[in-house]
């Protein structure tokens, strides 16, 4: 079983926060093993509780995912500040990793047409406090994005999932023969649309969690023969074992050898669109941004002045818009790119109330990088466990009326609600 070798996960932090987060994990007894492919990637064993119940996980400071799923974002390799599209994004593991790789000035548009899966995606964006990820629910075969607008796209389409056989033993039995044909058809439609919105010279990473050659190498070969795409060989990341491609015509694609990699079976290919040049940075198009804001206002949105939202100076370039009192951050690059009237969301920051702006408890994006004089900066894990269990913490400080920023030894965790006489604080999910 893969779990016997420890759970693979990703640290949700900036580089300078990494020692503090590792300290929090070590305080709960986890044995940590860095994965060599990237400094954010780890494997954990031991611990006082299952990794998903750890303090770091519950405060949104780590994301558990199969080790093979790290490879596609690494292969796309977003440039700092780049705008990236993840076409089939839920539950959000790859989207949020792409957001980390693109940096605080980069933006990820995470698309998911299925309503239930979209809800999961949005919950994870909020839980991890990824303000530079915007979610939309357009059909992947018909995106509201102009031709040639993006330099970096990840397509991880629905597939037969044969690579997950260890976790789902009947998957090969369920997805055989004619049952796979609709998936193959959908994959080709999604590939066609990805190539349409990709700029000449842009990068497209195609990945699946199946070992079926018809959904992998054959689809890549279709993109090469039909649309002139060029396979861009991927340097195998360290820490994994790989099988040879199933088709000689597709050198440079990666097939993860699941058992040898302590991961699920996975396929990853990188392609480049023919032509020279790249997409222009959309965030500089003031007319497009204004048109999008006007369309949102016609739907009931209200543009919020940044001065009304404490901590807004920590956000990347974008606008604040309230819908029925709920304030969301809308990245400027997305406002400039998506056609006005498109249904999409930025991350929720909090609500406008009669008493002013009330921050959402998980919105670390509005927190100072280091605790100020009024923050609660705990040095032990016991107060955090008490707060998550619903027990209040009494402040040895002047009473306050506004939410209190919470840190663990300088690591931002979230906001505490003030109760009673202003000296008692609680953790809530609101």
């Amino acid at each position: 079983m893969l779990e016997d070798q420890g759970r693979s996960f990703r640290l949700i932090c900036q580089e300078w926060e990494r020692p503090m987060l590792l300290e929090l994990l070590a305080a709960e007894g986890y044995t940590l093993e860095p994965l060599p492919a990237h400094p954010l990637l780890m494997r954990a064993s031991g611990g006082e509780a299952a990794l998903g119940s750890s303090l770091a996980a519950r405060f949104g400071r780590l994301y558990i995912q199969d080790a093979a799923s790290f490879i596609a974002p690494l292969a796309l390799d977003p440039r700092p500040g780049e705008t990236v599209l993840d076409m089939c994004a839920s539950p959000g593991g790859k989207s949020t990793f792409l957001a980390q790789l693109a940096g605080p000035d980069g933006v990820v548009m995470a698309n998911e047409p299925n309503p239930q899966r979209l809800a999961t995606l949005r919950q994870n964006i909020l839980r991890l406090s990824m303000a530079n990820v915007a979610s939309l629910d357009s059909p992947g075969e018909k995106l509201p994005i102009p031709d040639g607008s993006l330099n970096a796209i990840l397509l991880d389409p629905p597939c037969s999932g044969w690579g997950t056989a260890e976790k789902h033993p009947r998957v090969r039995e369920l997805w055989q023969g004619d049952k796979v044909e609709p998936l193959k058809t959908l994959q080709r439609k999604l590939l066609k649309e990805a190539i349409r919105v990709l700029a000449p010279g842009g990068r497209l990473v195609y990945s699946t969690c199946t070992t079926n050659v018809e959904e992998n190498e054959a689809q890549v070969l279709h993109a090469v023969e039909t649309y002139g795409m060029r396979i861009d060989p991927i340097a195998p990341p360290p820490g994994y074992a790989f099988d040879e491609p199933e088709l000689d015509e597709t050198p440079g694609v990666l097939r993860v050898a699941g058992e040898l990699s302590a991961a699920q079976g996975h396929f990853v290919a990188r392609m480049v669109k023919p032509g020279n040049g790249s997409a222009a940075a959309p965030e500089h198009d003031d007319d497009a941004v204004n048109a999008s804001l006007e369309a949102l206002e016609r739907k009931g949105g209200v543009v919020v002045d940044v001065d009304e939202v404490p901590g807004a100076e920590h956000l990347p370039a974008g606008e604040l818009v309230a819908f029925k009192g709920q304030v969301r951050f809308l990245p400027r690059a997305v406002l400039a790119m998506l056609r006005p009237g498109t249904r999409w969301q930025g991350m929720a920051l909090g609500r406008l109330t009669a008493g002013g702006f009330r921050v959402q408890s998980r919105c670390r994006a509005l927190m100072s990088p280091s605790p100020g004089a009024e923050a609660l900066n705990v040095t032990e894990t016991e107060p955090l466990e008490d707060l998550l269990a619903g027990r209040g913490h009494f402040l040895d400080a002047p009473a306050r009326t506004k939410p209190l920023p919470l840190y663990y030894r300088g690591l931002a965790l979230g906001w505490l609600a003030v109760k009673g006489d202003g000296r008692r604080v609680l953790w809530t999910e609101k």
Side-chain angles (χ1 to χ4, degrees), residues 250-266:
T250 57
V253 303
L254 298 180
R255 277 185 165 266
V256 179
E259 186 174 352
L260 293 175
S261 300
Q264 295 176 351
H266 227 74

Side-chain angles (χ1 to χ4, degrees), residues 193-328:
E193 183 69 351
I195 294 167
R196 180 187 71 79
V197 301
L198 188 66
R203 313 175 317 279
L204 168 62
V205 166
Y206 177 85
S207 71
T208 73
C209 60
T210 188
T211 56
N212 181 7
V213 63
E214 292 299 317
E215 299 174 75
N216 293 337
E217 287 92 342
Q219 299 290 43
V220 172
L221 193 58
H222 169 76
V224 171
E225 295 175 345
T226 305
Y227 304 106
M229 295 292 284
R230 174 176 61 84
I231 297 174
D232 185 17
I234 304 170
Y240 297 90
F242 297 94
D243 295 324
E244 291 296 317
E246 291 286 336
L247 298 180
D248 293 339
E249 301 93 333
T250 57
V253 303
L254 298 180
R255 277 185 165 266
V256 179
E259 186 174 352
L260 293 175
S261 300
Q264 295 176 351
H266 227 74
F267 174 84
V268 183
R270 185 172 59 210
M271 294 174 276
V272 175
K273 187 172 181 177
N276 296 319
S278 61
E283 63 267 23
H284 300 301
D285 192 336
D286 292 336
D287 291 339
V289 170
N290 291 334
S292 291
L293 290 174
E294 290 169 3
L296 293 171
E297 288 177 321
R298 288 194 293 271
K299 290 184 176 182
V302 178
V303 177
V304 178
D305 193 305
V306 294
D307 292 336
E308 295 184 56
V309 179
E313 67 272 14
H314 302 303
L315 295 169
E319 301 288 339
L320 308 182
V321 177
F323 295 89
K324 297 182 180 180
Q326 185 177 66
V327 180
R328 294 185 176 275

Side-chain angles (χ1 to χ4, degrees), residues 327-339:
V327 180
R328 294 185 176 275
F329 172 71
L330 306 184
R332 185 174 176 82
V334 184
L335 285 167
M337 183 176 296
L338 293 181
R339 294 167 183 157

